Amino acid sequence: MHNLILEIQRKTRNWALIFWILVFPLILTVLFRLIIANAYTTASSPAQVGTLSLNNDPQLAAVLDQLETEGIITLVEPEQADAVLEVQDDGQLVVHMDDNGIAQTIITAIANQYQQTRALTEQTGILPDNSQTAYLVERTMPSNKSLIYINYFTTLAMGCLSSAYFGLKAINDLQANLSEVGKRLACSPEKKSHLVFKQVLSNNLICMSLNLIQILVMKYLLQIDFGTHTGFILLTTFLGSWLGNGLGMVVGGFLKLNYNDKSNLLTAIIMLGNTAAGMMLPQIKYLVRLYCPLADALNPAALITDAYYQLSFYGLNGTYYRLIITMAVIGLLFYLLTLLILRRQRYASL
Amino acid sequence: MLIKVENLVKRYGDHLALDHLNLEVKEGEILGLLGPNGSGKTTAIHCILSLLTYDKGQIEIFGQPMRPNAYDIKRQIGIVFQQVAVFSELTVQENIHYFCSLYIKDKALCKQYVQEAMRFVELEEYANFLPAKLSGGLLRRLNIACGIAHHPRLIFMDEPTVAVDPQSRNAILQGIRQLNEQGATIIYTSHYMEEVEQLCSRIIILDHGQVAAVGSKEALKEMITLKQKVSIDQITLTPYQQANIQKLPHVYALDYAHERLEIKYNSQEHCLVTLLDYLEANHITYGRVYTEMPTLNDVFLEMTGRELRDDHA
């Protein structure tokens, strides 16, 4: 037990890793909150939208109805509107406006976003009909908090996945051919499985604590809504660290590269994963989901981001449970593979 | 017999690192494993500890076969590695405690052993220092403390004094003697013959993965022809005089170059007196005269034709 306490003490003194797990993601979150969040604010009163030939596009009608319900726009007669949306016979959406103010900009943005999203869904045909409207509404909302929340949750995913560096260091310390301490541990009367378990436990405890600090800052200082399911927020955080730590261990155990190269590889995986999960531009996330659904389904950053997203916007549902089960299973696979590599390991050379 | 190694063969690709190595270690001795770089000392240690796979052979420790999962055997072994093996994030005391607690599960006993280990290596005043703040010699002492804190019955020390200042080296050697007096059996590898001569009750000289010679330092020196070496500086000799000196009793080798004479004797009897008598009788002037008894390097040189150390002068 004392050994475990020393393990935790040792790891909390690694300031470089704590920077990547807590400080850097927090900096990003604050920047997103201060800079990008404002880009999604709406005008003080809803834009007034007129429509022509809407029966040519029933889905647009449904989207506009939803936007009106959300308070983004008000549907009025064309003569009273800030801008008029006309659906032509060939399905093209045209915006007519006499002025060029904030309201017109919002309406133009809605029209463009709708057309792009519609075109993507039609090309891929992936989304079932009954979710089409909701999906289109979500993507079309100019003040949609869901878009900026994707940015927020990807920074949290980055923090969770950065626990991979702890996992990598743990494997480095356990293997006799990678570190001197590994030699000493290999000669000790402690079973490899116990040593690995101690590493996994201490890593997860520390990383989860750091991620929780980030959540607390996001929730109470930056006023980001995580939903009301506190227990499941904790569970998601734990599974995020679990997944990240496992990723680091399996990269450290399997690849025949030096420590720096493995660390760089992890950085690439985490950054790429977060970009694909929508960190830089939330729309990328949907493109990945549309064009490469398997990558989206297995991307650790996307799994974590989507899990928080589901909790925040939709609460507990089948999608959420699928996500956390996937995270748990992938993480477990990583740990089992790691144990398989390390168990009774002897070396041809040191 | 504490350790028994039979026919140990270890290859790194095409290179034969250990060539049917046989060795035995008796309880209570300090066994020296001496050999030049690349002779197989560290490889032998790593194979005995089950860190390395080997191609052939049998290894027994405490009468039982040694395997990676032989935890009862491992519990009684302490290792001081050639490179410092400590955690950079833990203090001196924390490092010793960490490694000691892998062997000693009793909390109070572990704490006591940690204090004893710090006292033993004289690191008490550095207890709260991180390794980065320690000098090379102090780091080596910490390395030793981490390896012996749990009072092992058998200790492997792989060149523990490499790159260490003379003061720390003496302290380390003193500490090793103390450990042996307290009952530990020690296997000490080095390419510093002075340390091995000073410390070890029995010496195995390794060369190219094989045992070149085994015995106490006196027994090893008895095995070779050289019994005494006399060197004289600032002496001028004609070839005739050199030939005459060569004929003096017990002289078996003579080397004269750059006004320096070196003579090897196969006996210690009156050699210097006889030589000086000859020089006086022939009015030959000379500078410094010094005699040397054979060293382990001479043993190695005679047996293998090579020096023990690359930098040996």
Side-chain angles (χ1 to χ4, degrees):
Chain A
M1 182 62 186
H2 188 81
N3 215 262
L4 180 63
I5 295 170
L6 278 173
E7 268 297 335
I8 292 171
Q9 246 178 314
R10 179 171 81 84
K11 283 164 184 175
T12 53
R13 290 174 191 170
N14 195 329
W15 297 109
L17 295 190
I18 289 174
F19 173 82
W20 287 110
I21 295 173
L22 177 62
V23 178
F24 183 66
L26 260 180
I27 291 172
L28 275 182
T29 311
V30 170
L31 284 174
F32 285 145
R33 182 77 176 87
L34 292 176
I35 299 168
I36 300 178
N38 291 330
Y40 292 104
T41 56
T42 53
S44 54
S45 56
Q48 292 182 305
V49 180
T51 58
L52 288 172
S53 307
L54 207 55
N55 54 327
N56 284 340
D57 190 344
Q59 279 194 322
L60 176 60
V63 170
L64 291 176
D65 282 339
Q66 190 60 34
L67 290 178
E68 191 177 31
T69 310
E70 298 279 341
I72 308 301
I73 61 172
T74 309
L75 290 170
V76 298
E77 291 301 314
E79 301 79 33
Q80 295 158 354
D82 295 318
V84 175
L85 296 176
E86 182 190 1
V87 183
Q88 295 182 329
D89 292 335
D90 58 359
Q92 275 287 98
L93 180 59
V94 178
V95 182
H96 300 285
M97 52 192 175
D98 295 326
D99 209 346
N100 212 353
I102 294 174
Q104 284 79 10
T105 307
I106 290 169
I107 296 167
T108 308
I110 289 171
N112 289 338
Q113 194 64 33
Y114 173 79
Q115 286 190 105
Q116 281 173 21
T117 311
R118 177 78 185 272
L120 282 171
T121 55
E122 277 173 356
Q123 274 169 32
T124 59
I126 288 170
L127 290 177
D129 285 336
N130 59 1
S131 69
Q132 191 92 332
T133 306
Y135 180 79
L136 286 168
V137 166
E138 212 173 87
R139 306 295 84 73
T140 309
M141 267 203 253
S143 66
N144 189 352
K145 77 168 183 174
S146 72
L147 292 179
I148 187 62
Y149 269 56
I150 291 170
N151 294 113
Y152 295 147
F153 293 145
T154 53
T155 64
L156 200 43
M158 175 189 268
C160 290
L161 287 179
S162 293
S163 62
Y165 297 117
F166 269 125
L168 175 64
K169 188 139 192 341
I171 289 300
N172 204 65
D173 287 343
L174 283 174
Q175 290 194 275
N177 61 339
L178 298 179
S179 70
E180 295 302 317
V181 161
K183 270 191 212 164
R184 206 187 271 291
L185 291 173
C187 294
S188 72
E190 194 87 356
K191 287 186 186 175
K192 263 301 165 51
S193 54
H194 293 179
L195 290 170
V196 172
F197 177 72
K198 246 189 291 191
Q199 294 295 330
V200 171
L201 187 58
S202 55
N203 283 354
N204 278 306
L205 278 172
I206 293 167
C207 296
M208 188 176 163
S209 306
L210 293 173
N211 296 142
L212 280 176
I213 292 172
Q214 184 179 355
I215 289 176
L216 288 171
V217 170
M218 287 167 76
K219 188 175 166 70
Y220 294 109
L221 277 180
L222 302 177
Q223 301 294 310
I224 294 165
D225 181 19
F226 279 84
T228 55
H229 304 278
T230 309
F232 286 93
I233 293 168
L234 291 173
L235 176 64
T236 309
T237 310
F238 168 74
L239 288 173
S241 309
W242 165 267
L243 185 55
N245 191 33
L247 173 67
M249 282 188 150
V250 87
V251 163
F254 260 109
L255 298 180
K256 304 288 176 217
L257 298 168
N258 66 45
Y259 183 80
N260 283 339
D261 288 344
K262 288 180 198 175
S263 181
N264 292 338
L265 179 64
L266 278 177
T267 304
I269 292 171
I270 292 168
M271 289 300 164
L272 212 62
N274 275 288
T275 303
M279 176 180 265
M280 299 304 152
L281 199 63
Q283 285 81 354
I284 291 176
K285 178 181 179 51
Y286 300 108
L287 287 173
V288 172
R289 189 178 286 175
L290 288 171
Y291 287 106
C292 202
L294 188 63
D296 187 63
L298 296 177
N299 176 9
L303 290 171
I304 299 168
T305 305
D306 288 349
Y308 282 118
Y309 187 91
Q310 289 293 322
L311 276 180
S312 178
F313 284 88
Y314 304 110
L316 300 173
N317 57 23
T319 306
Y320 174 74
Y321 292 127
R322 175 184 60 78
L323 289 165
I324 61 169
I325 288 168
T326 308
M327 283 160 65
V329 166
I330 295 177
L332 185 65
L333 260 169
F334 285 160
Y335 291 122
L336 288 174
L337 282 168
T338 305
L339 201 55
L340 263 169
I341 301 163
L342 295 183
R343 203 166 157 265
R344 293 198 188 167
Q345 191 173 25
R346 283 162 82 181
Y347 308 91
S349 65
L350 287 177
Chain B
M1 215 55 67
L2 222 58
I3 299 177
K4 201 169 175 188
V5 176
E6 284 177 352
N7 279 323
L8 189 60
V9 175
K10 168 67 185 170
R11 283 189 179 85
Y12 294 114
D14 292 332
H15 172 66
L16 187 61
L18 296 175
D19 185 4
H20 297 87
L21 180 72
N22 290 286
L23 68 85
E24 288 175 348
V25 181
K26 297 170 196 144
E27 184 142 22
E29 68 174 349
I30 303 180
L31 176 75
L33 268 183
L34 190 62
N37 293 327
S39 57
K41 304 184 297 294
T42 301
T43 301
I45 299 281
H46 287 164
C47 288
I48 292 170
L49 291 170
S50 261
L51 273 175
L52 280 180
T53 55
Y54 45 89
D55 301 280
K56 199 173 139 185
Q58 281 176 327
I59 298 171
E60 275 182 14
I61 302 182
F62 307 131
Q64 294 169 53
M66 182 59 180
R67 283 186 298 265
N69 62 343
Y71 299 118
D72 287 337
I73 297 175
K74 286 184 173 183
R75 204 173 299 282
Q76 302 176 74
I77 297 177
I79 304 119
V80 179
F81 289 103
Q82 192 172 352
Q83 306 296 332
V84 174
V86 298
F87 288 115
S88 56
E89 302 98 341
L90 294 178
T91 63
V92 165
Q93 183 165 358
E94 286 167 348
N95 262 296
I96 301 171
H97 201 135
Y98 186 102
F99 293 112
C100 187
S101 64
L102 295 174
Y103 295 82
I104 308 292
K105 297 303 172 191
D106 184 304
K107 221 168 139 182
L109 189 63
C110 185
K111 200 173 172 184
Q112 178 195 328
Y113 281 2
V114 168
Q115 295 304 318
E116 283 174 10
M118 281 203 294
R119 250 191 317 270
F120 180 79
V121 296
E122 295 175 12
L123 281 179
E124 291 144 298
E125 62 183 284
Y126 301 98
N128 296 322
F129 278 51
L130 289 172
K133 300 283 183 194
L134 299 177
S135 69
L138 294 178
L139 259 182
R140 290 278 168 187
R141 290 196 214 175
L142 171 60
N143 199 35
I144 290 170
C146 290
I148 56 96
H150 56 285
H151 290 210
R153 193 174 152 196
L154 172 64
I155 304 173
F156 289 86
M157 292 192 152
D158 191 4
E159 306 203 30
T161 61
V162 165
V164 164
D165 58 279
Q167 192 183 1
S168 291
R169 176 178 290 182
N170 287 335
I172 289 168
L173 295 178
Q174 175 72 10
I176 292 169
R177 268 187 227 102
Q178 244 179 293
L179 285 170
N180 182 242
E181 283 160 18
Q182 288 166 7
T185 304
I186 297 171
I187 290 116
Y188 189 92
T189 76
S190 181
H191 60 267
Y192 294 119
M193 59 182 179
E194 309 85 7
E195 286 180 2
V196 175
E197 278 195 69
Q198 210 180 330
L199 211 52
C200 301
S201 51
R202 197 162 63 98
I203 298 160
I204 293 178
I205 297 180
L206 285 183
D207 183 39
H208 288 115
Q210 283 183 326
V211 174
V214 187
S216 64
K217 60 175 184 262
E218 294 80 15
L220 287 173
K221 288 171 189 174
E222 282 300 312
M223 289 180 192
I224 59 171
T225 312
L226 178 67
K227 297 290 183 280
Q228 189 179 8
K229 197 162 40 176
V230 174
S231 303
I232 302 178
D233 290 338
Q234 295 163 335
I235 182 168
T236 307
L237 294 172
T238 63
Y240 176 72
Q241 287 167 334
Q242 288 174 46
N244 282 340
I245 290 171
Q246 183 98 43
K247 290 174 194 164
L248 290 175
H250 308 301
V251 173
Y252 75 89
L254 182 148
D255 184 41
Y256 177 73
H258 308 295
E259 295 189 343
R260 191 174 191 274
L261 175 68
E262 193 176 277
I263 305 170
K264 291 183 181 174
Y265 291 94
N266 58 16
S267 168
Q268 289 179 18
E269 287 180 22
H270 309 301
C271 299
L272 181 61
V273 170
T274 314
L275 175 65
L276 292 177
D277 283 344
Y278 174 84
L279 294 176
E280 273 218 38
N282 288 272
H283 309 291
I284 299 169
T285 58
Y286 50 87
R288 246 180 352 168
V289 178
Y290 39 96
T291 62
E292 289 173 84
M293 305 314 287
T295 64
L296 289 174
N297 185 64
D298 295 318
V299 173
F300 191 81
L301 187 61
E302 212 170 287
M303 286 186 175
T304 66
R306 291 181 299 120
E307 303 274 351
L308 254 177
R309 263 170 37 198
D310 303 330
D311 58 352
H312 182 80

